[in-house]
Amino acid sequence: MLQVYPTTLLAVILLGCVYAYRKWSARTAFQRAEARHGCQRPRRYPHRDPIWGYDLHRIRLEAAQRGQFYKLYDQHFELYGKTFEEIFFDKKVINSMEPANVQQVAVLSWQDWGKVASRTAASAPVLGNGIFSQDGAAWRRSRELIKPTFSRSEIADLGTLRTYTDRLLDLLPRDGSTTDVQPLLHRFFLDVSTDFIFGASVDAMLPDTPFDSLEFIQAFNESLAGIGRRRRVGRMRFLYAFDRKWKQSYSKVHAFIDAHVARALEETAPNREEASNGKPHARPGRFLLLREMAKAVRDPLELRYQILNVFLAARDTTSILLANALFQLARNPHVWAAMHRAALALGAQPLTYDVIQSLTLFRNVLYEVFRHQGPAARVFREAVRDTILPVGGGPDGQAPILVAQGTWIALNTASMNHDRDLWGADAHEFRPERWADPHRAAPFVPFFTGPRVCPAQQQVLTQAAYVLVRLAREFAALENRDPVWEYVEVTRLVTESRNGVKVAFIPAARDPRGGG
């Protein structure tokens, strides 16, 4: 034993030397590459905890609890530059609100960047392996599977949306009383998205529906909130290992999806004629995402997660966009008045896809809502190889940055959308008329950009504009009834108003429904 000990010690020393040499060699090569490309380091957040970065993590948790998570980012970009580096549980993270870096990561060198593995792992129990967590060939396959869903012919078919919008209008009070429209919009788009994806709505807005929409929405929201909590603590997510409520919540969501998956797999089984469920929604010739995906994906677990990834976006993006629009429009009555006049000017003509696309004012309002309070505000990527960002390095932030493999980047589009250098002194004001300026040159990527741009962008804008036109025809005024004037955030995977959207709808003098 005593004779082995010196040999073991020598082996440990040699291994340590080899490790140190490799680290030194890699570091030296990296520094040479930096010099060769004229790269400089980004400014760094002044951590009190330089190992784990827990000090910044705690500050962000407190800001999130106050509903000011993204305001804190604005403050930090103001203090430390438009690109700065932080430590997140021993991981280097580059935060950037620079349009040039967004363009580089999303378009010019997008293959140098992949999904962040630990963030994907945090969402895996809920969302599994779907388009939002995939890279490479798996992502391309998922993209091709859902692409036909968002063809122009499918988006232009507004008949189903008209049915559910009629139900929505029937539920809005016309006596000037206060209503929180945010939860109603969640039910509305739960109906729209289940019809769109499964071919059969849960009819959450009907009073006699057997489906408990409130329980499902709460389970879905808790599932997303649980993902957000785990992502915020990084490698410490094991602290939530005994969170039974989260598992119960996402199990309810899975059970709902699985029932539809089982039906779709049965109906699309080989050598079997397509079964009809007897509902008019599943009319012949209509493209139903679940049914079409079931023809290509026969594994029920894989199909569950593929569909759930799409369902997440379909349920949340448009409902939150509309809720945020009504939040702002209630505080800007002159904009609603202009929308009301524009909607009445259409007369009784049907609201077709082409008519919706021609309504510049409504498009500008939605763009401004996305800019001012979009549902999503950050995009994370991890460098899969050493790569270069065009700006953000050096004391003035104008030098390129050499990014080492494994480094994360957080592209903060929310702060980019409030950058006074891009949008002017009124960047923090809600002003849809800015979009009428033909000389406006500020970059704007509400659905991200590049190969991974959201394929549903036209559907989201079309559906949101259609509902706004119907509301503006029906109601002459929209009044704010929330004593809290400012927007207070609640962030799960997406961000919405913590206080809801408390408003009063004031009916028009006549009933204009004929042109829906």
Side-chain angles (χ1 to χ4, degrees):
M1 186 74 177
L2 291 176
Q3 292 179 345
V4 174
Y5 178 76
T7 305
T8 303
L9 179 61
L10 180 61
V12 170
I13 292 172
L14 287 173
L15 286 173
C17 290
V18 169
Y19 175 78
Y21 173 77
R22 288 181 175 176
K23 293 286 286 184
W24 173 83
S25 180
R27 184 65 186 156
T28 301
F30 190 82
Q31 289 173 338
R32 289 173 181 166
E34 278 187 317
R36 186 165 60 251
H37 294 287
C39 298
Q40 297 185 48
R41 304 289 180 81
R43 294 175 66 178
R44 295 181 178 179
Y45 180 84
H47 283 288
R48 294 183 177 180
D49 173 8
I51 305 299
W52 294 98
Y54 182 75
D55 54 326
L56 178 56
H57 174 67
R58 179 178 52 79
I59 291 171
R60 285 183 180 153
L61 285 179
E62 293 171 353
Q65 290 168 358
R66 296 192 305 271
Q68 297 179 333
F69 185 71
Y70 288 106
K71 286 184 179 179
L72 178 66
Y73 269 99
D74 289 344
Q75 294 168 8
H76 284 167
F77 282 121
E78 188 75 25
L79 287 170
Y80 309 118
K82 295 182 180 181
T83 299
F84 68 91
E85 185 180 275
E86 65 171 270
I87 300 297
F88 178 71
F89 292 98
D90 85 344
K91 197 76 177 175
K92 285 185 179 180
V93 181
I94 296 174
N95 296 282
S96 185
M97 56 177 280
E98 288 280 9
N101 287 340
V102 173
Q103 178 78 354
Q104 187 72 25
V105 173
V107 182
L108 301 179
S109 64
W110 73 278
Q111 292 181 320
D112 291 349
W113 300 88
K115 291 288 187 172
V116 176
S118 66
R119 290 176 64 81
T120 298
S123 64
V126 180
L127 299 178
N129 186 27
I131 191 168
F132 289 136
S133 61
Q134 293 171 329
D135 284 313
W139 168 77
R140 285 190 290 272
R141 175 174 176 263
S142 296
R143 182 87 171 191
E144 288 303 312
L145 285 172
I146 69 172
K147 189 176 180 180
T149 310
F150 305 108
S151 66
R152 187 191 185 284
S153 61
E154 294 299 323
I155 297 171
D157 183 1
L158 298 174
T160 303
L161 184 63
R162 181 179 301 113
T163 298
Y164 296 115
T165 306
D166 287 342
R167 293 182 187 177
L168 173 69
L169 293 175
D170 287 340
L171 293 174
L172 295 176
R174 286 169 168 73
D175 59 358
S177 59
T178 300
T179 183
D180 184 356
V181 75
Q182 184 167 274
L184 180 56
L185 286 172
H186 280 311
R187 287 162 56 198
F188 170 65
F189 274 99
L190 182 59
D191 280 354
V192 172
S193 58
T194 50
D195 190 300
F196 163 67
I197 293 174
F198 306 126
S201 170
V202 297
D203 292 332
M205 289 188 292
L206 294 181
D208 57 350
T209 178
F211 182 77
D212 190 338
S213 61
L214 180 60
E215 180 185 31
F216 178 80
I217 290 170
Q218 288 175 339
F220 203 98
N221 287 343
E222 174 56 31
S223 300
L224 300 187
I227 294 174
R229 287 191 294 267
R230 285 155 180 80
R231 285 183 171 181
R232 282 194 290 271
V233 298
R235 297 183 183 184
M236 305 290 286
R237 63 180 181 274
F238 63 83
L239 294 173
Y240 294 103
F242 301 102
D243 182 359
R244 293 183 180 178
K245 182 180 178 182
W246 187 52
K247 185 173 182 179
Q248 290 170 352
S249 295
Y250 70 70
S251 294
K252 290 178 182 177
V253 175
H254 288 172
F256 170 77
I257 300 292
D258 289 347
H260 289 282
V261 164
R263 175 177 56 82
L265 289 173
E266 180 183 356
E267 292 177 355
T268 57
N271 304 318
R272 173 189 170 97
E273 289 186 359
E274 184 175 339
S276 170
N277 62 8
K279 292 195 175 184
H281 301 93
R283 62 187 183 273
R286 182 184 178 194
F287 185 96
L288 294 178
L289 180 60
L290 176 56
R291 184 171 60 196
E292 296 304 317
M293 290 188 76
K295 296 174 183 178
V297 180
R298 303 304 298 173
D299 180 343
L301 198 61
E302 180 186 356
L303 186 55
R304 170 214 282 176
Y305 290 127
Q306 290 282 9
I307 283 295
L308 186 52
N309 275 245
V310 179
F311 180 70
L312 164 65
R315 190 203 77 119
D316 276 351
T317 305
T318 318
S319 66
I320 295 175
L321 172 63
L322 266 175
N324 287 349
L326 295 175
F327 181 96
Q328 290 298 336
L329 291 167
R331 289 157 174 77
N332 293 273
H334 67 287
V335 181
W336 183 267
M339 292 167 61
H340 179 61
R341 292 192 297 270
L344 292 183
L346 294 172
Q349 65 175 303
L351 293 179
T352 64
Y353 175 81
D354 290 330
V355 169
I356 293 294
Q357 296 302 306
S358 71
L359 300 176
T360 304
L361 173 59
F362 289 83
R363 181 201 64 195
N364 291 348
V365 166
L366 291 172
Y367 280 176
E368 183 68 354
V369 174
F370 261 122
R371 186 197 71 82
H372 201 261
Q373 259 132 15
R378 288 185 301 166
V379 175
F380 280 85
R381 293 289 185 265
E382 182 173 355
V384 298
R385 59 182 65 87
D386 290 354
T387 188
I388 293 176
L389 294 174
V391 294
D396 62 357
Q398 297 304 304
I401 302 170
L402 184 61
V403 181
Q405 178 182 351
T407 302
W408 296 5
I409 188 165
L411 300 169
N412 197 308
T413 56
S415 293
M416 184 176 80
N417 288 339
H418 293 91
D419 186 351
R420 290 186 177 89
D421 293 337
L422 299 174
W423 300 96
D426 61 356
H428 287 269
E429 297 176 17
F430 181 80
R431 209 171 63 83
E433 54 268 30
R434 76 174 74 246
W435 295 93
D437 180 1
H439 304 295
R440 185 197 62 80
F444 181 60
V445 288
F447 298 93
F448 206 46
T449 186
R452 298 197 76 135
V453 66
C454 174
Q457 56 181 310
Q458 285 305 317
Q459 183 191 61
V460 170
L461 291 170
T462 301
Q463 290 182 342
Y466 177 89
V467 176
L468 280 181
V469 174
R470 294 288 305 275
L471 288 169
R473 272 180 166 173
E474 189 89 6
F475 299 102
L478 180 67
E479 296 179 356
N480 173 50
R481 294 291 175 84
D482 189 343
V484 179
W485 186 264
E486 67 271 15
Y487 188 90
V488 182
E489 310 161 356
V490 59
T491 301
R492 300 180 183 96
L493 284 189
V494 289
T495 300
E496 61 183 330
S497 169
R498 176 180 293 178
N499 296 329
V501 181
K502 301 178 180 68
V503 297
F505 291 93
I506 309 303
R510 61 185 181 84
D511 184 2
R513 290 199 191 187

